[in-house]
Amino acid sequence: MNLEQILKQSTAAIFKAEFGADVSLDSVTINITKKEHEGEYTIVVFPLTKISKLSPEQTAELLGNKLQEQSGIVAKFNVIKGFLNLSLTDAYWLGRLSEIANNKAYGTFAANHKKVVLEYCGPNTNKPLHIGHVRNMLLGFSMSEILTAAGYDVTKVNIYNDRGIAICKSMVAYLRYGNNSTPQSTGIKGDHFVGDWYVRWNAEAKKELETISGLKGDFDEDQKQTTLFIEAQDMLLKWEAHDAETVALWKKMNGWVYEGFQQTFKLIGADFQKDYFESETYLLGKDIVDEGLQKNVFKKRDDGAVIVDLTPDGLDEKVLLRSDGTSVYITQDLATAQLRHEDFNMEKMIYVVANEQDYHFKVLKLALQKLGKQWADGIYHLSYALVESPTGRFKSREGKTADADDLISEVLRIAEEKTKELGKIEGFTEEEANALYKTIGLGALKYFVLRVNPYKKIIFNPEESIDFHGHTGPFVQYTHARIKAIMRKVGETPKGFETLSGLGDVERELIIHLTEYENTVRAAAEKYDPSEIANYVYSLAKFYNKFYHECPILNAATSEEKTFRVALSNQTGILIKKAMKLLGIDVPEKMESL
RNA sequence: GACCCGGUAGCUCAGCUGGAUAGAGCAACAGUUUUCUAAACUGUCGGUCACUGGUUCGAAUCCAGUCCGGGUCACCA
């Protein structure tokens, strides 16, 4: 049982004994004591005065005395207005540290045998990954780590939007202007190669438009008049008719794209246990629409389109099948959801998708629920906001800065530059140095993205690049490397500090923070929010650095104190590593020669 | 027009199941290295928590309205 529970129950028991009244545990609020006051935990007694019929001060005084007498862990207390500040005994805190140090699995919860399918990334195959995918991948990967730590059985899946008019445009441009070039022959990464043809198609279409008169000035509309568009549309029809040559070209070009994506996934640390392809699911969904019609939850409109009426739920009527009987976007999503349910029989199905699709996922979930699919209750849309430049939304035409690969190589370059500036790693082999640049560079990028709450947009200024000091990934990594340096000097972790007395404030603060880790993992899992972990690990590192500066570790006054401080350092290092792993961030053993 | 999400220090963000004098980082300024890694630490400066009203012992936090920014409301994906 955690401390908060103990304090709440003790409080309730005391109120029962003193006033014969039942106090609900929820009405007892316990906070961490503000640092300007003495104590570690604070019970807010205002809500309890209704029962005690005493002033806040008297109530707090009484509760404090009883807790001190009965709990065995309260060393002293003070009362300020309605706040009862408790100081727990050193023995209690040392016991907690010892408990954590002896539990290798601390912070990972027992398997709950609940399956989670987590979809993330979801790229289109006609263009390379951009900064939005980066946020997506980091969130998705981190969430899977967090949920796994929370006891879930997580399967990561990707969905490739590998068909449609867009990829056909790339194909048309390639056929027209490609001269059988390949990523190999040009030295261009596969996804960029195909993306370049997509860009070329657009450029050529615009050129062609200049020769056409009577346009509306709206590219989406006007493009339909170009021969390029007609060719692309024709390509799409041929693809849908399984035309051998078209399918072969499509496979070849998508193959290049997957090779390119794979490199980026590997670099950034994204992986998937199963891939879904829209080309294999886009025709599915009619069955589920039929099911809805039979169950009378979907309706056929006079024009033949099938709709679901969500006006009772505050949404609109939504078309699920076109009047000509063909699928729309949501049709296949309904089917894919059903398919995944059959594939995995999961408890939860998480979609990491940008907040532009909030409405879409509301509809998806509601439609499935109306069909009586209980598993639809487990659908969760992990919605995240866009990454924007200071001038607004990143447009692909703004080029370089929005591209995922460029962003990554830029941050790796900066990591190398900054590391070299510090001049601490002369003794590293080239291999070690490169590994460190990668660890730090990716750490900076990942932390930068993950520390922000998913539903808040991220403002990223490419001009200013990503920081390596302060509230950043490298700061946390540095702290870890620092601890490891100490541990290397100590060798074996010595034991036997539990009887130490006279904990310093900074030491106590650090232990308290270690004990908060488990709650943080739980909260991050419940809220689907990696930023909980990011902010936690930052303050952990901050507390540690403060401790490091104030307290000699290897040169501590007594051997018992040294043992304690080493153990405290070691445990902090372990939790930094664990927490960073939940973010998908590696921590280096060394950031300096020696 | 309707709905959804944001608005906290010059900048980037915490805090939001109501609790004490609203916290970090960056930037700026001043310090700390004969002692375990200065990618660190300490201090100074910096706030009408968008605005107005309400709820109550107490509101950045909850409610209503207003303003600003973004998004969505396709037989597009």
Side-chain angles (χ1 to χ4, degrees):
Chain A
M1 189 160 47
N2 68 37
L3 180 65
E4 210 169 292
Q5 293 301 317
I6 293 172
L7 291 176
K8 283 185 178 184
Q9 292 189 2
S10 307
T11 301
I14 288 164
F15 267 71
K16 182 84 181 168
E18 294 295 314
F19 306 105
D22 287 312
V23 173
S24 78
L25 297 189
D26 290 341
S27 67
V28 185
T29 27
I30 294 176
N31 300 326
I32 291 181
T33 305
K34 296 213 141 206
K35 62 172 174 246
E36 60 266 28
H37 299 111
E38 193 182 355
E40 292 106 53
Y41 283 88
T42 296
I43 300 180
V44 183
V45 301
F46 293 105
L48 303 173
T49 54
K50 286 191 190 103
I51 294 168
S52 69
K53 304 268 179 8
L54 298 168
S55 71
E57 288 85 351
Q58 288 167 319
T59 308
E61 198 70 35
L62 181 137
L63 182 59
N65 274 315
K66 293 288 172 192
L67 278 173
Q68 191 174 9
E69 278 170 30
Q70 296 171 14
S71 71
I73 58 173
V74 175
K76 54 184 174 174
F77 68 91
N78 66 82
V79 175
I80 297 169
K81 291 188 273 182
F83 300 94
L84 171 60
N85 302 318
L86 303 171
S87 301
L88 304 188
T89 63
D90 288 354
Y92 172 78
W93 289 117
L94 289 165
R96 290 299 302 273
L97 176 62
S98 168
E99 195 181 290
I100 291 169
N102 289 319
N103 178 8
K104 283 213 163 60
Y106 175 66
T108 49
F109 292 71
N112 61 20
H113 307 290
K114 291 181 179 170
K115 281 192 183 152
V116 174
V117 173
L118 189 157
E119 175 196 293
Y120 73 108
C121 195
N124 298 328
T125 60
N126 65 305
K127 46 190 164 191
L129 302 166
H130 58 79
I131 195 165
H133 292 108
V134 171
R135 188 172 198 188
N136 186 311
M137 289 189 278
L138 298 180
L139 280 172
F141 185 85
S142 176
M143 239 12 267
S144 86
E145 292 290 308
I146 290 166
L147 290 169
T148 302
Y152 291 93
D153 175 9
V154 183
T155 304
K156 288 169 274 186
V157 305
N158 198 354
I159 175 102
Y160 291 95
N161 302 304
D162 61 342
R163 62 164 288 281
I165 192 73
I167 183 69
C168 287
K169 288 178 179 176
S170 288
M171 287 157 69
V172 165
Y174 178 71
L175 280 184
R176 277 206 191 189
Y177 317 107
N179 289 321
N180 290 316
S181 59
T182 64
Q184 289 73 29
S185 74
T186 54
I188 300 172
K189 190 165 168 280
D191 51 333
H192 289 260
F193 182 83
V194 173
D196 287 348
W197 292 116
Y198 181 76
V199 171
R200 179 70 180 272
W201 186 95
N202 278 283
E204 295 292 339
K206 276 183 187 137
K207 258 192 241 170
E208 194 182 334
L209 282 178
E210 285 170 15
T211 68
I212 300 172
S213 57
L215 299 172
K216 294 176 183 166
D218 173 15
F219 183 75
D220 286 345
E221 276 302 311
D222 294 344
Q223 62 168 342
K224 292 179 182 163
Q225 300 196 36
T226 65
T227 59
L228 276 157
F229 188 83
I230 292 161
E231 280 176 40
Q233 218 167 21
D234 187 46
M235 185 80 82
L236 185 57
L237 288 173
K238 273 155 73 180
W239 182 88
E240 287 180 356
H242 309 292
D243 172 67
E245 216 174 303
T246 306
V247 169
L249 176 63
W250 172 78
K251 277 191 177 160
K252 181 162 79 173
M253 292 185 76
N254 272 342
W256 291 333
V257 172
Y258 298 137
E259 275 175 38
F261 283 169
Q262 212 51 48
Q263 288 176 36
T264 308
F265 293 160
K266 194 169 177 226
L267 184 57
I268 207 168
D271 61 359
F272 308 93
Q273 280 81 58
K274 186 171 170 68
D275 292 329
Y276 287 85
F277 297 91
E278 198 184 281
S279 57
E280 293 170 0
T281 60
Y282 83 107
L283 291 175
L284 304 176
K286 311 230 168 121
D287 292 350
I288 213 166
V289 171
D290 284 343
E291 187 185 333
L293 284 170
Q294 251 166 29
K295 290 184 178 167
N296 231 359
V297 287
F298 299 164
K299 286 178 219 155
K300 189 163 258 182
R301 235 165 30 190
D302 292 345
D303 60 6
V306 177
I307 58 112
V308 58
D309 181 13
L310 299 175
T311 47
D313 306 279
L315 306 180
D316 299 288
E317 272 190 3
K318 180 77 188 173
V319 171
L320 302 179
L321 203 62
R322 292 194 184 99
S323 50
D324 65 5
T326 57
S327 300
V328 291
Y329 181 51
I330 196 153
T331 322
Q332 59 174 309
D333 269 8
L334 289 168
T336 308
Q338 176 71 39
L339 187 65
R340 282 189 200 157
H341 166 68
E342 284 156 17
D343 283 350
F344 297 104
N345 190 26
M346 65 276 166
E347 198 98 1
K348 290 176 192 283
M349 174 150 49
I350 300 169
Y351 294 88
V352 183
V353 178
N355 65 6
E356 297 162 307
Q357 297 199 35
D358 286 354
Y359 183 80
H360 173 76
F361 281 100
K362 273 186 197 163
V363 172
L364 181 70
K365 184 168 179 171
L366 271 171
L368 288 166
Q369 284 173 324
K370 282 182 188 295
L371 283 169
K373 316 239 177 231
Q374 295 223 314
W375 51 265
D377 296 348
I379 289 178
Y380 181 79
H381 173 207
L382 203 178
S383 166
Y384 62 91
L386 300 173
V387 181
E388 294 182 10
S389 75
T391 52
R393 192 167 174 168
F394 274 113
K395 296 274 174 22
S396 12
R397 73 175 81 99
E398 277 177 48
K400 292 287 175 192
T401 50
D403 179 79
D405 293 310
D406 290 334
L407 182 64
I408 295 167
S409 50
E410 173 66 3
V411 78
L412 296 186
R413 189 191 63 75
I414 298 168
E416 176 170 355
E417 188 182 291
K418 300 223 176 193
T419 305
K420 282 180 172 163
E421 266 171 30
L422 287 172
K424 288 175 158 193
I425 62 161
E426 280 84 2
F428 278 41
T429 63
E430 201 179 323
E431 204 180 330
E432 286 173 330
N434 284 327
L436 184 63
Y437 305 148
K438 195 177 145 190
T439 301
I440 295 176
L442 285 174
L445 175 62
K446 291 180 180 184
Y447 193 90
F448 177 81
V449 171
L450 289 176
R451 83 179 178 100
V452 182
N453 206 306
Y455 62 78
K456 293 208 181 180
K457 68 182 173 199
I458 290 179
I459 308 288
F460 170 61
N461 187 347
E463 304 301 313
E464 290 174 5
S465 82
I466 288 175
D467 221 317
F468 285 63
H469 297 271
H471 191 175
T472 67
F475 168 84
V476 179
Q477 292 173 320
Y478 174 74
T479 309
H480 180 264
R482 222 175 199 187
I483 292 170
K484 294 310 272 190
I486 288 193
M487 296 316 295
R488 276 193 297 277
K489 286 183 185 162
V490 178
E492 279 286 289
T493 314
K495 291 196 189 301
F497 55 78
E498 284 80 357
T499 55
L500 187 78
S501 64
L503 279 183
D505 289 346
V506 186
E507 294 165 328
R508 191 180 297 106
E509 210 170 36
L510 186 52
I511 297 175
I512 294 170
H513 209 62
L514 294 175
T515 67
E516 293 289 329
Y517 179 65
E518 211 159 63
N519 284 334
T520 307
V521 174
R522 187 185 295 112
E526 277 171 5
K527 292 155 91 171
Y528 301 93
D529 182 6
S531 75
E532 291 273 335
I533 303 289
N535 286 308
Y536 169 85
V537 76
Y538 168 69
S539 50
L540 180 60
K542 215 169 128 58
F543 280 129
Y544 184 80
N545 280 312
K546 192 175 176 190
F547 160 75
Y548 181 92
H549 277 272
E550 285 188 20
C551 305
I553 298 162
L554 298 175
N555 302 321
T558 67
S559 72
E560 195 181 31
E561 194 168 59
K562 177 177 165 182
T563 305
F564 162 69
R565 287 179 181 168
V566 168
L568 184 55
S569 298
N570 190 37
Q571 196 49 48
T572 304
I574 289 169
L575 285 196
I576 286 177
K577 188 170 184 170
K578 277 191 188 182
M580 290 292 263
K581 184 166 178 291
L582 298 188
L583 300 175
I585 302 176
D586 288 332
V587 286
E589 298 289 305
K590 303 167 79 168
M591 285 171 76
E592 183 177 305
S593 310
L594 293 177

